[in-house]
Amino acid sequence: MLRDKSVEIQNLSKIYHTLAGETLALSNLSLDVYKGEIVSIVGPSGCGKSTLLSLISGLIRPSSGKIYIDKEEVKKYDKKIGYMFQNDNLFEWRTIWKNVLIGLEVQDRLTAERLAKVTNLLNTYGLKDFKNYYPNQLSGGMRQRVALIRTLATEPEILLLDEPFSALDYQTRLMVADEVGTIIKKEKKTAILVTHDISEAISMADRVVVLSDRPAKVKSIHEINLTLDVARTPLTSRKAPEFRDYFNAIWKELDIHG
């Protein structure tokens, strides 16, 4: 069955120019991401994973190659994109309600309909009673949930997640990844997740893309098919019998000790 492509990356390369010379970050990288799927991207540290997200978002331009979102070439930052970073970047002097409205304020889209949708998101995902709190009154996990709702408030079609859980302690990270992954699927969003954590990549994704060392190319793509007797979530995924096999295969490809 043919699937609709949300993102098409064709022969992408990126060269950074510095005083020390040229650095080739990505080389001739091609990848398709389909509508409604979560794709995790893993690779050696410094290989260009975050650069790839910046290129997809239109924040920086490729040196060569093309990126298409819904068949339109990316030439600048697109409102179809929602970006979640490692830090939640909440404004400490604004309430949770005011924080989740920032994107809509910037885009001048504070309509009654959108405000109602934001209220519904807060109610649905357990933040209804905290909307008048300030960020420093929330746990790290709740802050990341606020950051996701702020991103969803502008109704992006594609979510880019750049190590969004790495600042959290291990237990909180597991819980928040489970919440975020479940929300993304429930809201039927397409998402691209960059992570250093192989288990996280497998548990959250429909496919895991392994990049080579810099300059990054696609080394392999793993379709994640897990056998579960319960609904699949990032947490339940870790209990599947195939989980360890995927982990070991990706670990070897990353050549962590080499």
Side-chain angles (χ1 to χ4, degrees), residues 82-202:
Y83 216 133
M84 270 188 77
F85 296 94
Q86 191 173 81
N87 298 313
D88 55 59
N89 295 317
L90 300 179
F91 292 118
E92 300 295 339
W93 62 90
R94 294 179 67 127
T95 63
I96 300 311
W97 173 249
K98 289 288 189 181
N99 263 287
V100 297
L101 295 182
I102 286 171
L104 291 173
E105 285 179 17
V106 170
Q107 296 177 8
D108 195 23
R109 297 161 71 200
L110 282 173
T111 64
E113 181 186 4
R114 292 189 184 280
L115 290 174
K117 286 183 178 178
V118 172
T119 298
N120 185 54
L121 285 169
L122 290 169
N123 293 350
T124 302
Y125 299 118
L127 289 165
K128 169 181 157 185
D129 296 332
F130 298 92
K131 68 179 186 177
N132 294 318
Y133 282 49
Y134 288 86
N136 64 8
Q137 296 176 284
L138 302 186
S139 67
M142 289 180 78
R143 290 175 65 115
Q144 280 300 74
R145 215 185 310 161
V146 172
L148 176 61
I149 290 171
R150 178 187 59 196
T151 304
L152 291 173
T154 60
E155 299 189 323
E157 293 176 23
I158 300 161
L159 296 175
L160 304 180
L161 302 98
D162 194 357
E163 296 273 0
F165 318 120
S166 60
L168 304 173
D169 64 79
Y170 182 70
Q171 185 175 359
T172 304
R173 182 172 181 151
L174 285 178
M175 290 167 48
V176 175
D178 193 63
E179 287 179 353
V180 169
T182 302
I183 291 170
I184 290 170
K185 282 297 185 185
K186 187 173 179 181
E187 296 294 323
K188 297 179 177 167
K189 299 297 181 184
T190 305
I192 302 173
L193 167 72
V194 159
T195 179
H196 283 92
D197 187 320
I198 299 171
S199 294
E200 186 172 273
I202 298 165

